[in-house]
Amino acid sequence: MEGLDPYFSRYLPQVVVTCCVPVALVGWLFMVNPPAAAILAVAVARVLVIRYLRGNSRLQAGGIGPLRSRTGAAG
């Protein structure tokens, strides 16, 4: 039970804040400037769709290893 304390006291509240703040911000912006809020909402939706469609393609393609070999960094 002691191991669940950090989850419920730190992680879970931060997840709620992370989910609620962007929605509240777009809602507030919609009241102040509806065209700007619509543009922002469309841009965020596009980013989410693109990230979903790409999936884990970078992980499936070999991760960061090939990147290190191309930049000359030690791997």
Side-chain angles (χ1 to χ4, degrees):
M1 282 303 207
E2 296 278 333
L4 294 176
D5 185 44
Y7 177 78
F8 285 109
S9 66
R10 286 184 246 157
Y11 177 75
L12 199 57
Q14 188 61 46
V15 169
V16 171
V17 168
T18 302
C19 293
C20 292
V21 168
V23 172
L25 182 64
V26 171
W28 172 79
L29 186 59
F30 187 75
M31 292 188 307
V32 174
N33 190 347
I39 291 170
L40 181 63
V42 168
V44 168
R46 279 186 73 189
V47 168
L48 293 175
V49 167
I50 289 170
R51 288 185 59 129
Y52 174 75
L53 292 176
R54 287 183 68 190
N56 292 331
S57 62
R58 278 185 261 167
L59 295 175
Q60 294 168 356
I64 197 163
L67 178 64
R68 284 187 180 153
S69 64
R70 279 185 256 148
T71 60

